[in-house]
Amino acid sequence: MAVEIFMPALSPTMEAGTLAKWLVKEGDSVESGDVIAEIETDKATMEVEAIDEGTVAKIFIDEGSEDVKVGEIIAVLAEEGEDVADVAAGSSSSASAAPAIAPTPNVETATPPTQAAAPQAAAPTVSVTQGDGNRIKASPLAKRIASQEGLDIAAIAGTGPNGRIVKRDVEAAIAAGGTATAAPSAAPAHTAAATSTPAKAPVSSEYGPHDDIPFREEKLSGMRKTIARRLTESKTTVPHFYLTVECELDSLLAQRKELNTKLADSGVKLSVNDFIIRASALALKKVPAANVQFAGDKMYWYERADVSVAVAVEGGLVTPVVRGADSKGLSEISKDVKELAGKAKDGKLMPEDYAGGTFSISNLGMFGIKEFSAVINPPQGAILAVGAGEQRAVVKDGALAVATVMSCTLSCDHRAIDGAVGAEFLAAFKGYIEDPLMMLL
């Protein structure tokens, strides 16, 4: 019996993915456990293994195909003793009986139905220069409407700023009985300019690209689409509030230097970020009301601090999780972070590496950012934004002094965490940062 291979769900939230690459071709023999394809999710590129042995009879989805739905048939195997051609023919007829799989349009750039009805050939009639080389000033929306109606935009008088042709001018021309195609004798210079100027595709809105500014168009990756969707959801549905604290780092830097000297032979080199993760995890244990998640008519209180660490990768951001950071020492945290960051940058994170997490940290200190506010990573209740440690003037015992100071801003979901709880967490965090020996107990 033929073995159907389906698009797998490689993470709890995955609904579709990109079939990045086939590692087999039709006619190849495979065994159970052989890697047959690479699938791109919004987090990483992952390998798909064959769950049975047989011969690849038919591949339905070409490599590079985007938005392949979870559960979609992507290939079929012929088992031992089966005729490969018969299996391929049978699977093809079965597939053809189902609705055709059409690529999902990019909703950000999809052409509206009214625009699609206009023939593309109308675009060249939109003049952008006059016969004497002077540029026609018109909004992108006005150009699009003129293109749809077959009007020569250069023949329309503009009432916008500095004579710019805007939507109401084109609509007025249409209402006045503008013809579908401008008469050649009425504006020969304009027609000549139009035929000699490359056609420009009409933009989908008034806020599209401007003709006088060079640009390139790039389709969103799955990762970028997910970031856009999730963070838009976060900022529009989660009531954020922000608390900032300044921590002195001199004791921590001295302690880090001493520990790294002792760890030199082990290959472990502690970073300031390792201390920040440890301090955050211990502060969450000390203030459990900050290690929570809002869930509609209930709250989840977590008894373990699983800290998500934001890692910048090509095309976006991922947040691998240091599990049980409250029960791990600095050396173990350092090893975990380096391993997870390496997998993230290689696109090899597994779902268990980034799923979950009870709290997030975003550190831009290495880029020289003094202070910023981060967007909460839903469904978590808070995220800590960490700035650069820099020497600043401080007052100690009534006198000016210099200290290395780091600004940290906590973004909280006010449905789950109140101001007093956020302040209590930051006080605990600051205590661990400024007295790092307490982290070692």
Side-chain angles (χ1 to χ4, degrees):
M1 182 177 178
V3 178
E4 295 176 329
I5 301 174
F6 300 93
M7 183 69 168
L10 300 176
S11 72
T13 59
M14 179 177 169
E15 297 178 356
T18 297
L19 206 160
K21 185 178 182 181
W22 280 109
L23 302 178
V24 295
K25 60 182 182 298
E26 292 180 0
D28 285 355
S29 296
V30 297
E31 296 182 359
S32 178
D34 285 353
V35 178
I36 60 173
E38 292 180 353
I39 305 294
E40 289 182 5
T41 69
D42 57 340
K43 300 289 186 180
T45 299
M46 304 178 68
E47 296 176 339
V48 176
E49 297 180 355
I51 59 174
D52 210 334
E53 61 182 25
T55 302
V56 180
K58 184 70 175 178
I59 291 176
F60 293 107
I61 305 297
D62 295 333
E63 63 180 40
S65 297
E66 300 180 352
D67 294 326
V68 182
K69 303 300 182 185
V70 169
E72 196 78 54
I73 298 177
I74 59 176
V76 65
L77 300 181
E79 293 187 310
E80 184 178 358
E82 290 186 309
D83 185 274
V84 174
D86 290 344
V87 171
S91 59
S92 296
S93 60
S94 298
S96 62
I101 302 170
T104 303
N106 186 341
V107 295
E108 290 82 357
T109 58
T111 305
T114 55
Q115 181 176 329
Q120 187 64 28
T125 65
V126 182
S127 295
V128 293
T129 57
Q130 294 179 343
D132 57 3
N134 292 328
R135 186 172 187 80
I136 298 298
K137 296 179 180 178
S139 73
L141 180 59
K143 293 175 185 176
R144 176 164 65 85
I145 296 173
S147 172
Q148 293 170 1
E149 298 296 329
L151 297 178
D152 182 356
I153 198 168
I156 300 173
T159 61
N162 299 316
R164 181 180 175 88
I165 302 168
V166 293
K167 175 184 176 182
R168 64 175 177 269
D169 300 324
V170 180
E171 291 177 340
I174 296 170
T179 57
T181 306
S185 58
H190 299 158
T191 304
T195 55
S196 62
T197 303
K200 290 180 167 32
V203 295
S204 59
S205 76
E206 192 169 0
Y207 304 99
H210 296 284
D211 291 335
D212 56 344
I213 304 176
F215 71 95
R216 65 184 177 88
E217 184 175 300
E218 184 175 300
K219 191 171 183 180
L220 291 181
S221 65
M223 178 184 295
R224 180 53 59 186
K225 287 179 183 177
T226 300
I227 291 172
R229 175 178 56 80
R230 286 175 58 82
L231 296 191
T232 298
E233 174 190 344
S234 178
K235 286 295 286 185
T236 54
T237 64
V238 177
H240 287 55
F241 74 89
Y242 309 94
L243 301 170
T244 300
V245 70
E246 294 186 345
C247 306
E248 293 188 16
L249 292 179
D250 295 294
S251 295
L252 185 150
L253 294 175
Q255 187 67 59
R256 170 178 174 259
K257 183 177 180 180
E258 182 179 343
L259 289 174
N260 278 337
T261 299
K262 295 179 179 179
L263 293 170
D265 295 335
S266 68
V268 175
K269 186 175 182 179
L270 302 177
S271 68
V272 173
N273 204 48
D274 298 330
F275 283 85
I276 292 170
I277 294 170
R278 173 74 171 157
S280 297
L282 292 175
L284 290 172
K285 290 295 287 185
K286 191 171 184 179
V287 187
N291 198 26
V292 296
Q293 174 187 326
F294 177 80
D297 60 349
K298 55 184 174 291
M299 293 262 289
Y300 296 132
W301 290 63
Y302 293 105
E303 298 180 1
R304 189 178 73 189
D306 286 358
V307 180
S308 302
V309 182
V311 176
V313 297
E314 184 178 355
L317 190 75
V318 292
T319 50
V321 182
V322 179
R323 309 271 177 200
D326 54 301
S327 61
K328 292 181 177 179
L330 290 166
S331 293
E332 192 173 359
I333 289 175
S334 180
K335 291 176 182 177
D336 285 355
V337 171
K338 286 181 174 60
E339 179 182 353
L340 290 168
K343 291 171 71 174
K345 290 178 179 178
D346 292 338
K348 299 299 183 184
L349 285 175
M350 300 299 289
E352 58 268 24
D353 294 327
Y354 57 78
T358 65
F359 182 87
S360 288
I361 294 174
S362 180
N363 187 349
L364 293 179
M366 64 286 293
F367 298 106
I369 301 302
K370 181 177 180 179
E371 181 181 340
F372 70 105
S373 300
V375 181
I376 294 171
N377 182 21
Q380 295 175 9
I383 182 171
L384 185 68
V386 180
E390 58 182 9
Q391 290 194 327
R392 302 180 197 171
V394 298
V395 178
K396 293 185 177 181
D397 299 325
L400 279 176
V402 176
T404 305
V405 179
M406 173 181 71
S407 296
C408 298
T409 298
L410 183 69
S411 304
C412 300
D413 179 351
H414 215 324
R415 300 171 302 176
I417 300 173
D418 293 327
V421 173
E424 190 178 354
F425 167 85
L426 284 180
F429 172 80
K430 178 181 172 75
Y432 286 119
I433 291 293
E434 295 189 345
D435 188 4
L437 286 176
M438 295 297 294
M439 294 191 218
L440 309 179
L441 298 178

